């Protein structure tokens, strides 16, 4: 369940990053791997919605930013999810969000590694990423956090208050 939400958050950031350069989702789906394929010998130029022509080097830069934003969105989404899924029945407000020191340290390390990988010039080449727009990552993380919080707290509420319900076979583990 959480994987689908995280994938949705990644896709949101993916399309918003392209959109910030004037590339619509329709252009992405209809390009037939002609553009944004990372091939340095590709001479095809794509026109953005703003009328700007994007050559191969600009396409490559945009593609690397999209890949960086996808990677950071996974890291931030997982960091959000770990605080919500620690128990199957107890609300996050009851057991505390930051009560587990090891979890806090692990999340901090994961976030630092994610930023190190995406923002360090030498590693950017290795992982094929460029620094994304930080606001897009923030917005995507907030959307994912809201959806995950609603789902997990709703699931925990049903599990606590209706333990014999048939739906608990699918919601509780």
């Amino acid at each position: 369940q959480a994987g689908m939400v995280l994938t949705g958050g990644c896709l949101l950031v993916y399309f918003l990053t392209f959109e910030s350069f004037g590339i619509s989702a329709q252009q992405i789906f209809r390009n037939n791997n002609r553009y944004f394929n990372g091939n340095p010998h590709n001479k095809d130029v794509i026109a953005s919605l703003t009328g700007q022509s994007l050559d191969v080097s600009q396409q490559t830069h945009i593609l690397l930013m999209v890949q960086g934003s996808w990677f950071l969105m996974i890291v931030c989404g997982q960091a959000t999810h770990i605080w919500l899924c620690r128990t199957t029945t107890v609300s996050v407000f009851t057991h505390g969000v930051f009560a587990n020191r090891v979890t806090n340290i692990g999340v901090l390390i994961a976030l630092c590694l994610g930023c190190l990988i995406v923002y360090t010039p030498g590693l950017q080449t290795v992982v094929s990423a460029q620094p994304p727009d930080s606001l897009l990552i923030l917005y995507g993380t907030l959307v994912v956090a809201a959806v995950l919080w609603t789902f997990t707290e709703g699931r925990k509420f049903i599990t606590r208050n209706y333990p014999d319900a048939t739906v608990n076979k699918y919601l509780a583990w």
Side-chain angles (χ1 to χ4, degrees):
Q1 299 119 351
M4 296 299 288
V5 175
L6 293 174
T7 301
C10 289
L11 286 170
L12 173 70
V13 171
Y14 175 87
F15 288 116
L16 287 177
T17 303
F18 272 118
E19 190 69 36
S20 70
F21 288 97
I23 308 296
S24 70
Q26 183 180 18
Q27 286 177 294
I28 296 167
F29 286 121
R30 291 179 39 187
N31 81 29
N32 198 22
N33 288 334
R34 184 173 171 189
Y35 310 108
F36 302 105
N37 59 16
N39 182 358
H41 303 294
N42 185 8
K43 302 297 182 210
D44 292 328
V45 175
I46 186 171
S48 69
L49 295 177
T50 60
Q52 178 185 6
S53 295
L54 302 170
D55 63 14
V56 176
S57 66
Q58 292 168 316
Q59 291 175 35
T60 302
H61 176 72
I62 293 169
L63 181 64
L64 294 177
M65 281 188 69
V66 168
Q67 291 170 180
S69 64
W70 184 282
F71 176 74
L72 276 182
M73 189 60 227
I74 290 173
V75 173
C76 292
Q78 289 288 349
T80 303
H81 183 240
I82 196 164
W83 281 309
L84 299 172
C85 71
R86 292 187 310 181
T87 68
T88 58
T89 57
V90 179
S91 173
V92 69
F93 300 112
T94 303
H95 67 74
V97 178
F98 302 110
N100 188 334
R101 180 178 285 189
V102 175
T103 300
N104 297 338
I105 293 170
V107 167
L108 186 62
I109 290 171
L111 291 173
C112 288
L113 283 174
C115 289
L116 178 76
I117 288 170
V118 172
Y119 290 103
T120 304
L123 293 175
Q124 290 172 349
T125 307
V126 174
V127 297
S128 299
Q130 285 288 316
D133 183 357
S134 300
L135 278 178
L136 290 180
I137 302 300
L138 175 65
Y139 297 151
T141 303
L142 292 175
V143 168
V144 166
V147 172
L148 285 175
W149 178 81
T150 303
F151 176 78
T152 57
E153 287 299 313
R155 178 184 55 78
K156 290 174 185 182
F157 176 81
I158 292 170
T159 303
R160 278 192 314 270
N161 295 317
Y162 307 102
D164 297 327
T166 307
V167 75
N168 276 337
K169 292 178 187 175
Y170 305 103
L171 294 178
W173 57 85

